[in-house]
Amino acid sequence: MEKVIHKYNCIINALPVRCGDCLYINFLDNTSKISRHIIVDAGYSNTYHRTLKPIIDRLAKEGSEIDLFILTHTDGDHIGGMKPHIINFGVNGIKQFWFNYAPTPFTLKDGTDEVSIKQGINLRDYLLKFGKVNSSPILTGHVEKIGDGIITVLSPDNEQFNRFVEEWRNEEPYSEGDVAITTTTTDYSEPIADLIHNEYEPDSSWSNRSSIAFVLQLGSKKVMLTGDAHPDVIISALRTQGYTPDNPIQLELMKISHHGSKANTSDELIKLVDCQCFLISSNEGNKHSFPHKEALARVIWVTHQRRPKTPIHIYFTYNSSILKEIFSSEEQKEFMLICHYPETGNEGITITFCADE
Ligand SMILES: [Zn+2]
């Protein structure tokens, strides 16, 4: 397990689900003294048993309930784990889900005999049947309290979500994607100082654009978790809240959107955040060559300009020799980069911060 940044109060455990997302958040309410549990995404179906399931098993044994299970969007690297999850647990132990519906239903197939999922089922209808999912989309500006934690949704907004619903019919349906290949071309040999001159080209995926992105606030401390959201949607939400490059949002941690894709991180977004700790949820050798050093170069360049004497922490979900070679030793020194990697195979990386209220 990774060392703490400050002292214990809130932990964010990013699990190694290949080039996917699965985060477990735990914090202790200062007022009720109740331990709160939030899960953001479920990774792939075939990463579930070694990553998320042991956590759910432990919580079930303790008799703890998960306060909120957020499914940021319908791509298989975020929602695939829901199939084995429902086969194992149904909706037991989860108080509520957030899941924004898409016209092509996410269908759970090949159930086992032990549970009643023999036919394919529509995830949304399944969750609705138990009254455990939002009946209208979760959109920008939605605020939810989980104990002392305050969640403020940044993405998607109403317009983007409606367009996603329209566009969806032309897109690829649900797919697990991400076939591991060994020979991918990365941009890791290019220096940060060169990569920052590349023009930002935005992501065109409508499913990514529909991602739920949000800020979780505990006391005065905030973390931003972005799913695979598009930066312009997040920028618009932050600007609406009054944040500007001169008055950026102060964050303890920001998850870099879309596994570090260069199409999902713009200078303009990073200029709106005052943050020294960044999380990348990706393995090496995936078909997209995520994470892109170009995205990290934007993060590092803007952050270093704001606070040239403060270290920049980058957290990875895999301990991999290729990920360790993204930055040269000169770059690590010049930009005061401190990279963190998990010590164990399946537990991922844990980031801890202290809320001060
Ligand atoms: Zn993704």
Side-chain angles (χ1 to χ4, degrees):
M1 290 292 217
E2 187 58 29
K3 299 286 179 293
V4 298
I5 298 173
H6 302 294
K7 69 173 190 181
Y8 177 79
N9 205 315
C10 176
I11 68 153
I12 297 179
N13 182 194
L15 295 162
V17 290
R18 308 206 320 261
C19 184
D21 275 11
C22 184
L23 310 173
Y24 165 61
I25 303 169
N26 173 228
F27 59 89
L28 189 68
D29 271 351
N30 286 332
T31 42
S32 69
K33 302 296 174 202
I34 293 172
S35 191
R36 303 290 181 178
H37 312 277
I38 299 171
I39 291 168
V40 185
D41 286 325
Y44 287 95
S45 58
N46 63 7
T47 56
Y48 175 80
H49 282 89
R50 63 171 175 80
T51 55
L52 186 54
K53 187 170 181 289
I55 291 175
I56 310 246
D57 279 339
R58 176 171 58 77
L59 294 177
K61 229 179 243 171
E62 291 170 8
S64 299
E65 275 197 306
I66 292 155
D67 297 273
L68 177 61
F69 197 139
I70 300 174
L71 297 164
T72 61
H73 64 297
T74 51
D75 284 352
D77 55 317
H78 297 255
I79 206 175
M82 280 306 290
K83 180 164 73 175
H85 178 78
I86 285 184
I87 289 167
N88 277 275
F89 296 99
V91 293
N92 294 334
I94 317 272
K95 286 185 189 166
Q96 62 167 328
F97 290 86
W98 280 2
F99 176 50
N100 284 344
Y101 183 69
T104 303
F106 169 75
T107 302
L108 296 161
K109 290 176 184 151
D110 21 89
T112 66
D113 289 339
E114 294 109 59
V115 291
S116 57
I117 308 170
K118 288 186 180 170
Q119 308 294 320
I121 58 161
N122 178 310
L123 178 60
R124 171 68 178 228
D125 291 347
Y126 178 81
L127 297 177
L128 273 175
K129 192 171 79 180
F130 294 95
K132 291 201 173 183
V133 71
N134 49 294
S135 52
S136 56
I138 299 288
L139 300 172
T140 308
H142 181 94
V143 177
E144 184 94 8
K145 279 202 83 181
I146 303 292
D148 292 342
I150 302 168
I151 294 177
T152 305
V153 176
L154 303 173
S155 165
D157 62 28
N158 193 37
E159 185 190 341
Q160 302 308 334
F161 188 73
N162 288 339
R163 285 180 70 181
F164 157 70
V165 170
E166 275 171 38
E167 293 285 334
W168 183 266
R169 290 171 184 86
N170 306 323
E171 296 242 337
E172 286 288 302
Y174 166 83
S175 141
E176 285 273 315
D178 188 40
V179 178
I181 46 173
T182 48
T183 51
T184 61
T185 312
T186 68
D187 55 359
Y188 302 163
S189 63
E190 296 180 52
I192 289 173
D194 289 354
L195 287 166
I196 54 152
H197 298 298
N198 290 0
E199 199 177 331
Y200 166 68
E201 289 179 33
D203 183 5
S204 59
S205 159
W206 284 97
S207 56
N208 287 346
R209 200 165 179 80
S210 76
S211 272
I212 295 175
F214 62 93
V215 169
L216 169 65
Q217 179 170 358
L218 272 169
S220 62
K221 302 291 174 70
K222 295 171 182 164
V223 296
M224 185 192 288
L225 302 176
T226 52
D228 289 355
H230 287 186
D232 63 300
V233 180
I234 299 175
I235 288 165
S236 168
L238 291 175
R239 287 195 175 276
T240 302
Q241 291 179 33
Y243 295 112
T244 64
D246 292 331
N247 175 38
I249 183 170
Q250 314 263 324
L251 298 174
E252 300 303 298
L253 177 75
M254 174 180 178
K255 189 194 86 87
I256 302 297
S257 177
H258 197 201
H259 323 290
S261 167
K262 61 187 176 187
N264 296 68
T265 295
S266 63
D267 285 356
E268 196 187 347
L269 174 61
I270 303 303
K271 283 177 182 167
L272 289 178
V273 303
D274 184 358
C275 182
Q276 298 295 135
C277 297
F278 300 92
L279 169 65
I280 307 286
S281 182
S282 178
N283 59 358
E284 62 169 64
N286 53 75
K287 68 175 177 181
H288 307 287
S289 302
F290 293 158
H292 295 148
K293 189 174 177 181
E294 184 178 323
L296 299 174
R298 293 191 184 108
V299 169
I300 290 163
W301 194 265
V302 172
T303 304
H304 184 71
Q305 280 186 323
R306 183 182 293 115
R307 297 182 190 276
K309 291 180 180 160
T310 309
I312 298 171
H313 295 262
I314 302 181
Y315 293 84
F316 292 89
T317 51
Y318 279 84
N319 189 339
S320 116
S321 55
I322 291 177
L323 295 176
K324 284 179 175 172
E325 285 169 6
I326 295 177
F327 308 112
S328 67
S329 49
E330 292 78 24
E331 285 173 334
Q332 293 183 39
K333 206 172 154 196
E334 181 182 352
F335 297 103
M336 301 181 73
L337 304 180
I338 303 174
C339 295
H340 304 260
Y341 308 91
E343 285 170 14
T344 58
N346 291 325
E347 291 174 10
I349 191 94
T350 300
I351 303 128
T352 306
F353 70 92
C354 174
D356 57 356
E357 285 176 10

